[in-house]
């Protein structure tokens, strides 16, 4: 009996030792897991700190500050999409470290706030009107950074067939070549020097009231024209704002946009504004500007559509939306897209499809096909055949009245 009790006690001792050993191993495993997570968290700490600082400075832009602070805040606000990615990536290791989970929660909250600030572009539009081709038109917005790329613009126009295309950084030679190869498009714009800082509007419909105004304290150009469609008139405004590289140019750009807004507010009828705004639509400067002049951002309900890549290579995540389509209340943006960048610069073309409100279209006043202020067509036969027809109609009407 004693031998049997001894063997039982020995077995119990063995089991106890095995359990102790297993417990020690599990405890050591649990101890190693937080240590690894802690080390990884410390590695990600600098990235998390950058995300927090840039995010908080971006929030300052909501107050529309001026000077160095305002400029820096807007630059940070333009990085909202990139900041969301940084914050979410850096939050992951902190989740596995018990003592640092509050840090992870902070990073996730900041990412959520940034997402909320850019969400209007992702949310679907309230209710788009039924697409009606007879009330619609397309505008292609492009930037001629590479002066030899005008042939690519010709190919894009021929492929996409927009009613209107606008070009920034346009020089006289490129404008002439575009008009020669696309003779059915009227042309007009500002060509100040051979450096190619001009703005051009090209349209395959009759244009009137073409004008170039020098606005703002620095007298920078903005091009405006009234386009006559079959269903009514629409004002097209093309601009090119200075790049805010410091506080002084930041102020210069804001003054220019404000001056353009005042000119636009005096126009009668539907308006589409396009061009290089050099401002991302995430800060207070842009939001206040479109609110002041009762405009709508064409990206709302149509996605981010960033078209400017920063750096030598376009890798999508380094893109920013700086070229825009803004519309008055009587126009709806049906489609908004970024086209492949074959121009050799950092700006990809953007294409918008617009639809004029039917009530606005039917109430639009008719305008002459071309006025003396307009830039004449290269193909003058098209204009000449229309004007005599109008004069003949007027004469016929007068004869009928006299009878």
């Amino acid at each position: 009996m004693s031998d049997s009790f001894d063997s039982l006690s020995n077995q119990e001792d063995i089991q106890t030792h095995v359990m102790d050993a297993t417990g020690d191993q599990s405890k050591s495993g649990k101890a190693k897991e937080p240590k690894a997570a802690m080390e990884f968290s410390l590695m990600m700490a600098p990235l998390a700190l950058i995300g927090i600082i840039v995010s908080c400075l971006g929030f300052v832009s909501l107050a529309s500050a001026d000077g160095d602070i305002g400029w820096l805040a807007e630059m940070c606000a333009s990085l909202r999409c990139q900041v969301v990615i940084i914050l979410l990536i850096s939050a992951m290791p902190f989740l596995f470290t018990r003592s640092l989970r509050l840090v992870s929660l902070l990073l996730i909250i900041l990412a959520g706030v940034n997402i909320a600030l850019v969400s209007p572009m992702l949310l679907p539009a309230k209710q788009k009107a039924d697409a009606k081709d007879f009330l619609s038109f397309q505008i292609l917005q492009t930037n001629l950074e590479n002066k030899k790329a005008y042939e690519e613009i010709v190919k894009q126009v021929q492929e996409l067939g927009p009613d209107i295309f606008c070009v920034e950084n346009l020089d006289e030679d490129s404008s002439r070549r575009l008009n020669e190869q696309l003779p059915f498009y009227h042309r007009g714009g500002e060509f100040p020097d051979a450096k190619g800082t001009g703005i051009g509007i090209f349209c395959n419909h009759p244009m009137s009231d073409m004008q170039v105004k020098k606005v703002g304290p620095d007298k920078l150009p903005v091009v405006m024209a009234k386009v006559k469609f079959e269903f009514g008139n629409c004002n097209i405004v093309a601009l090119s704002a200075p790049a805010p590289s410091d506080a002084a140019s930041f102020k210069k750009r804001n003054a220019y946009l404000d001056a353009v807004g005042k000119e636009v507010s005096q126009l009668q009828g539907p308006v589409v504004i396009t061009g290089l705004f050099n401002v991302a639509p995430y800060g207070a400067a842009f939001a206040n500007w479109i609110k002041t002049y009762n405009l709508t951002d064409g990206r709302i309900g149509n996605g981010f559509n960033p078209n400017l890549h920063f750096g030598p290579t376009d890798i999508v995540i380094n893109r920013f939306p700086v070229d825009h389509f803004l519309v008055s209340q009587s126009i709806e943006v049906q489609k908004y897209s970024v086209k492949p960048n074959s121009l050799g610069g950092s700006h990809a073309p953007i294409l918008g499809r617009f639809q004029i409100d039917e009530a606005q279209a039917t109430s639009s006043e008719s305008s002459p096909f071309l006025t003396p202020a307009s830039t004449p067509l290269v193909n003058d036969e098209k204009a000449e055949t229309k004007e005599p027809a109008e004069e003949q109609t007027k004469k016929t009407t007068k004869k009928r009245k006299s009878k």
Side-chain angles (χ1 to χ4, degrees):
M1 289 289 290
S2 61
D3 293 338
S4 62
F5 281 118
D6 291 338
S7 62
L8 279 171
S9 61
N10 290 334
Q11 289 178 1
E12 290 176 356
D13 291 339
I14 292 170
Q15 290 177 355
T16 304
H17 286 303
V18 170
M19 291 175 64
D20 291 341
T22 306
D24 292 339
Q25 287 178 1
S26 63
K27 287 178 181 178
S28 63
K30 289 181 180 178
K32 288 180 181 178
E33 196 173 58
K35 185 178 180 182
M38 176 66 77
E39 290 176 354
F40 195 32
S41 298
L42 292 176
M43 288 174 58
M44 298 297 290
L47 186 64
L49 184 61
I50 291 172
I52 292 172
I53 293 173
V54 174
S55 185
C56 291
L57 284 172
F59 296 153
V60 175
S61 72
L62 298 175
S64 188
D66 296 323
D68 292 330
I69 295 177
W71 167 70
L72 183 61
E74 185 179 286
M75 294 300 101
C76 292
S78 65
L79 295 167
R80 288 202 198 282
C81 294
Q82 289 79 4
V83 166
V84 169
I85 297 173
I86 290 173
L87 291 172
L88 292 178
I89 290 175
S90 59
M92 296 304 294
F94 292 101
L95 281 174
F96 300 98
T97 309
R98 290 182 180 179
S99 59
L100 297 176
R101 281 180 181 170
L102 285 177
V103 177
S104 179
L105 180 61
L106 172 63
L107 296 173
I108 293 173
I109 290 173
L110 287 176
V113 174
N114 281 286
I115 291 173
L117 291 172
V118 300
S119 61
M121 299 179 193
L122 298 176
L123 297 174
K126 292 181 179 178
Q127 187 177 1
K128 288 191 176 184
D130 295 334
K132 297 178 180 178
D133 292 339
F134 65 92
L135 294 175
S136 301
F137 59 95
Q138 290 192 111
I139 300 178
L140 178 68
Q141 157 64 28
T142 187
N143 198 301
L144 194 62
E145 296 171 273
N146 181 0
K147 303 309 174 188
K148 297 180 180 180
Y150 71 89
E151 293 181 353
E152 293 297 327
I153 294 180
V154 172
K155 290 179 183 178
Q156 285 186 336
V157 171
Q158 291 174 340
E159 178 184 351
L160 300 172
D163 299 275
I164 303 162
F165 70 94
C166 302
V167 186
E168 273 69 48
N169 286 335
L170 186 66
D171 62 282
E172 293 183 6
D173 184 61
S174 297
S175 175
R176 178 181 57 79
R177 290 175 182 272
L178 286 170
N179 201 219
E180 288 174 353
Q181 297 190 40
L182 299 166
F184 295 105
Y185 284 83
H186 307 219
R187 69 166 174 167
E190 166 69 5
F191 316 113
D193 52 39
K195 295 180 181 179
T197 56
I199 309 168
I201 297 178
F202 296 78
C203 180
N204 61 7
H205 292 266
M207 287 193 294
S208 68
D209 301 338
M210 173 70 71
Q211 53 184 325
V212 177
K213 288 194 173 183
K214 302 293 182 69
V215 300
D218 298 284
K219 301 301 177 183
L220 300 175
V222 57
V223 181
M224 296 180 285
K226 183 177 288 185
V227 178
K228 179 179 174 63
F229 297 102
E230 291 79 4
F231 46 80
N233 300 332
C234 182
N235 297 286
I236 307 298
V237 179
L239 58 82
S240 183
S245 56
D246 52 27
S249 55
F250 172 72
K251 182 179 180 180
K252 184 177 179 180
R253 186 212 60 194
N254 289 346
Y256 171 74
L257 291 178
D258 187 56
V260 170
K262 290 177 181 177
E263 293 291 336
V264 169
S265 64
Q266 298 176 13
L267 297 175
Q268 300 295 321
V271 181
V272 177
I273 310 174
T274 183
L276 175 58
F277 287 72
N278 267 316
V279 56
Y282 310 138
F286 184 80
N288 292 339
W289 187 72
I290 62 175
K291 183 178 180 181
T292 300
Y293 298 105
N294 200 25
L295 300 168
T296 302
D297 183 4
R299 283 186 172 86
I300 301 297
N302 291 300
F304 288 111
N305 292 303
N307 72 304
L308 169 70
H309 75 265
F310 181 77
T313 307
D314 183 3
I315 56 174
V316 181
I317 61 172
N318 63 338
R319 288 185 186 179
F320 302 89
V322 296
D323 293 28
H324 307 294
F325 287 126
L326 305 181
V327 297
S328 61
Q329 300 304 310
S330 55
I331 293 186
E332 185 177 83
V333 182
Q334 290 281 331
K335 291 183 181 179
Y336 192 124
S337 59
V338 177
K339 295 303 173 183
N341 186 5
S342 59
L343 305 180
S346 57
H347 292 257
I350 56 176
L351 180 69
R353 182 180 179 86
F354 308 87
Q355 181 168 306
I356 294 182
D357 180 72
E358 191 166 4
Q360 179 68 38
T362 54
S363 64
S364 295
E365 296 179 0
S366 60
S367 65
F369 284 91
L370 282 173
T371 64
S374 302
T375 305
L377 285 168
V378 171
N379 186 0
D380 291 326
E381 293 179 3
K382 188 174 181 180
E384 289 174 1
T385 56
K386 290 185 179 294
E387 290 186 4
E390 290 183 347
E391 292 177 2
Q392 189 174 3
T393 303
K394 290 179 181 178
K395 291 177 181 178
T396 305
T397 306
K398 288 181 180 179
K399 288 180 181 180
R400 288 177 178 173
K401 287 182 178 179
S402 62
K403 289 180 180 179

